Amino acid sequence: MISDASLPPAERLLRWFHDLDSCLVAFSGGVDSSVVAKAAAIALGEKSFAVTAKSPSVAERDLRIAKETAEAIGIRHEVIETAELNRPGYVANAPDRCFHCKSELYDHLSAIRATYETAVIVNGANLDDQGDHRPGMIAASNAGVRSPLLECEIDKNTLREIARQWDIPVWDRPASPCLASRIAYGVAVTPERLKMVELAEDTLRSLGLRDFRVRYHEGDLARLEVPLESIEWLTKPETRELLEQRLIEIGFKFVTLDLGGLKSGSLNQLIQVSLDKK
């Protein structure tokens, strides 16, 4: 962790980058990696470079937002194709799935890094990420990837405020993890299931919802998580019937609504259930 906690968070972050010669940013276009990319661009200019992965696990909308955000930030940006679906450990979708996904990404970034002798790979992990199930952070450690937000002790709320101050367009965008994170552990990740989730979430978005999840469970079952205040509206006959019809057309056989509302990382509860059965 950075030692000078007396500095404002944004200044700590910029000073962190001033110690580097150049860097590659693992850039998803979310608020976390966008703040990192902006700080790198301010501190290092042309010696900073953002890279975004393109694969069936990334929604087309998220890829478009990443491109637009990188342009707004003013950082060099490249989109590369990754092949995590060729990794058996990823397809099997055990609780360490994210390790295999991030390993694929960091292998590609390490190859790019080879052309920049002093380049450091950085990601958007922040202080709040330490308390959740994050196997991808093990992959980052294995690849020598650094986390400036974490090292500067910046949490999610603080980085959103920095993003707002720096006029980053996604400063208030809800978290948007990869599509595979919607598929219940133990259910194989396939391109078809990823596309079903993407289309289902596009449907919810078209109804005016902003923050939600469509969880895919075995048997082509969709479990919808929406904010508690949206549940009553979603169950109105005209909305419910339209939503069910559309998701059935997409390929789901069953459509359910989680009365517990939206919970980030809710599928992690299945990890504990699995452990309890042993």
Side-chain angles (χ1 to χ4, degrees):
M1 300 296 181
I2 197 165
S3 59
D4 195 349
S6 64
L7 293 173
E11 183 62 27
R12 292 205 305 268
L13 185 59
L14 292 174
R15 287 202 179 190
W16 189 94
F17 277 99
H18 280 306
D19 290 336
L20 304 184
D21 291 321
S22 59
C23 77
L24 297 176
V25 182
F27 183 70
S28 68
V31 63
D32 305 24
S33 62
S34 293
V35 167
V36 171
K38 181 65 174 181
I42 294 172
L44 300 174
E46 285 298 311
K47 293 183 178 180
S48 61
F49 186 36
V51 179
T52 300
K54 176 183 178 181
S55 78
S57 303
V58 180
E60 293 179 12
R61 178 176 182 271
D62 289 343
L63 187 59
R64 183 180 70 254
I65 289 174
K67 293 176 180 178
E68 293 170 351
T69 304
E71 183 175 359
I73 287 171
I75 191 170
R76 290 188 301 155
H77 182 229
E78 180 178 342
V79 176
I80 61 171
E81 292 198 13
T82 56
E84 53 267 29
L85 282 162
N86 290 339
R87 296 191 176 225
Y90 179 83
V91 173
N93 198 20
D96 66 346
R97 179 200 66 244
C98 194
F99 170 84
H100 301 285
C101 178
K102 294 300 185 184
S103 294
E104 171 74 10
L105 172 62
Y106 295 142
D107 281 353
H108 281 272
L109 294 186
S110 295
I112 295 173
R113 176 189 176 183
T115 65
Y116 300 91
E117 294 181 359
T118 59
V120 173
I121 302 172
V122 298
N123 64 19
N126 65 77
L127 199 59
D128 292 335
D129 290 332
Q130 295 182 111
D132 198 3
H133 177 67
R134 301 275 179 171
M137 294 182 73
I138 299 175
S141 177
N142 291 349
V145 176
R146 297 184 64 181
S147 306
L149 296 172
L150 183 57
E151 293 185 32
C152 292
E153 300 183 335
I154 296 175
D155 61 18
K156 191 76 170 186
N157 289 335
T158 302
L159 71 90
R160 283 195 183 277
E161 179 58 24
I162 294 172
R164 187 188 67 79
Q165 293 173 1
W166 286 350
D167 293 324
I168 297 175
V170 294
W171 73 269
D172 64 342
R173 184 188 179 203
S176 183
C178 79
L179 296 170
S181 68
R182 318 291 203 272
I183 300 178
Y185 291 124
V187 178
V189 177
T190 67
E192 294 76 19
R193 287 168 177 166
L194 293 169
K195 180 55 70 172
M196 286 170 65
V197 170
E198 180 178 5
L199 293 175
E201 294 200 342
D202 284 346
T203 299
L204 283 173
R205 191 173 292 107
S206 72
L207 294 175
L209 290 171
R210 185 168 183 268
D211 200 6
F212 51 82
R213 297 285 186 273
V214 175
R215 309 290 189 188
Y216 181 104
H217 291 265
E218 190 170 3
D220 293 330
L221 183 148
R223 177 169 60 87
L224 313 185
E225 294 183 8
V226 301
L228 291 173
E229 61 270 19
S230 299
I231 288 179
E232 183 177 0
W233 170 78
L234 207 61
T235 56
K236 288 183 177 180
E238 60 274 19
T239 309
R240 176 183 56 78
E241 291 170 8
L242 174 64
L243 185 58
E244 181 184 28
Q245 178 184 357
R246 178 57 181 142
L247 265 62
I248 294 297
E249 290 173 353
I250 288 170
F252 289 99
K253 294 184 175 65
F254 308 97
V255 182
T256 67
L257 179 61
D258 193 323
L259 298 182
L262 176 64
K263 301 185 187 72
S264 178
S266 68
L267 288 176
N268 289 341
Q269 297 175 47
L270 298 177
I271 300 174
Q272 186 58 47
V273 170
S274 177
L275 291 174
D276 290 343
K277 287 181 178 180
K278 292 182 178 180

